[in-house]
Amino acid sequence: GAGVSQSPSNKVTEKGKDVELRCDPISGHTALYWYRQRLGQGLEFLIYFQGNSAPDKSGLPSDRFSAERTGESVSTLTIQRTQQEDSAVYLCASSLDRGASYEQYFGPGTRLTVT
Amino acid sequence: AQSVSQHNHHVILSEAASLELGCNYSYGGTVNLFWYVQYPGQHLQLLLKYFSGDPLVKGIKGFEAEFIKSKFSFNLRKPSVQWSDTAEYFCAVNIGYGGSQGNLIFGKGTKLSVKP
């Protein structure tokens, strides 16, 4: 079946502009996660959604970052007034439910470059 | 804050050599442990996981990992690597019973290059 998809695959933007990244999780997966990976670093948790519960935003690095999810489907991660340090690969993952018992399936990522 | 350390940034081996990649985590409570692999041009995928029970877990493609609680370690091993094992390997932790926190905490990754 279809895996997690993300768009765009690559995004180059100028410093100060806003960007929107999209994630389509696997159908039926109630949990959705956003991570980012900066060059030479591990994946860094940003935010996660579980069903209709309030999202866990504890990993968002600043108030320029926000994310939304429509029900149990598409999610968008928005970065306002982008900075060069926002350059990274942004990865989305989904799982059938929250918790370690449920494998997280990762998308291919969006490579964001802020010039 | 909880963290995961992977000791090696880049490991280069010849085919048939044995592999051990180190992973240590800093959390004193219940943990769930994972190794993920990212082959060139592919998505990150789960290699193996440990929740409880036998501390030696076996994963796909002949990989195994051993959880040593006293050392806060979860090292990945393979007795004989193949060229197709060339990839980046990430150790990850999910804290709390049943993974109640949800999100994974990742190490920085280890690139493995296997020479044919």
Side-chain angles (χ1 to χ4, degrees):
Chain A
V4 177
S5 60
Q6 293 186 244
S7 60
S9 54
N10 279 285
K11 175 74 179 177
V12 180
T13 190
E14 291 180 355
K15 178 180 170 181
K17 295 280 178 72
D18 297 353
V19 295
E20 198 172 272
L21 313 179
R22 177 187 168 107
C23 171
D24 281 275
I26 294 171
S27 177
H29 280 195
T30 64
L32 185 147
Y33 307 79
W34 282 99
Y35 297 87
R36 75 174 174 183
Q37 185 178 21
R38 288 188 282 189
L39 193 62
Q41 304 295 314
L43 279 73
E44 183 187 356
F45 165 71
L46 297 177
I47 185 170
Y48 98 89
F49 298 87
Q50 170 59 44
N52 294 318
S53 303
D56 177 351
K57 304 179 182 181
S58 60
L60 294 178
S62 79
D63 59 8
R64 295 186 295 104
F65 287 71
S66 62
E68 293 184 346
R69 188 181 185 192
T70 308
E72 293 184 355
S73 61
V74 171
S75 174
T76 54
L77 176 70
T78 301
I79 309 173
Q80 295 178 309
R81 305 181 303 282
T82 52
Q83 303 294 311
Q84 286 186 329
E85 63 261 27
D86 299 333
S87 295
V89 176
Y90 288 82
L91 289 163
C92 175
S94 71
S95 63
L96 203 53
D97 202 339
R98 71 176 290 179
S101 304
Y102 300 95
E103 180 177 345
Q104 293 186 25
Y105 293 84
F106 284 81
T110 293
R111 183 175 297 277
L112 174 66
T113 304
V114 182
T115 60
Chain B
Q2 294 78 31
S3 65
V4 176
S5 299
Q6 291 185 240
H7 313 305
N8 307 101
H9 176 62
H10 191 186
V11 172
I12 302 172
L13 295 173
S14 297
E15 276 194 315
S18 65
L19 170 71
E20 181 159 2
L21 301 182
C23 172
N24 287 90
Y25 61 93
S26 63
Y27 183 69
T30 302
V31 292
N32 302 291
L33 297 153
F34 305 81
W35 276 96
Y36 279 82
V37 60
Q38 188 167 27
Y39 297 102
Q42 295 188 25
H43 304 185
L44 204 61
Q45 59 185 281
L46 183 66
L47 197 54
L48 50 76
K49 60 188 177 186
Y50 171 81
F51 293 158
S52 64
D54 188 345
L56 185 63
V57 292
K58 296 189 185 299
I60 60 172
K61 303 187 181 186
F63 285 91
E64 64 180 31
E66 185 175 14
F67 170 52
I68 303 179
K69 189 174 182 180
S70 61
K71 294 184 178 180
F72 300 89
S73 70
F74 189 56
N75 292 354
L76 180 71
R77 301 195 292 245
K78 186 170 183 179
S80 175
V81 295
Q82 300 174 311
W83 177 78
S84 57
D85 294 325
T86 295
E88 190 157 16
Y89 293 81
F90 294 90
C91 181
V93 165
N94 180 305
I95 67 173
Y97 181 76
S100 57
Q101 179 161 322
N103 59 285
L104 295 167
I105 302 166
F106 282 85
K108 292 185 178 181
T110 297
K111 286 186 182 175
L112 172 65
S113 300
V114 180
K115 298 184 292 185

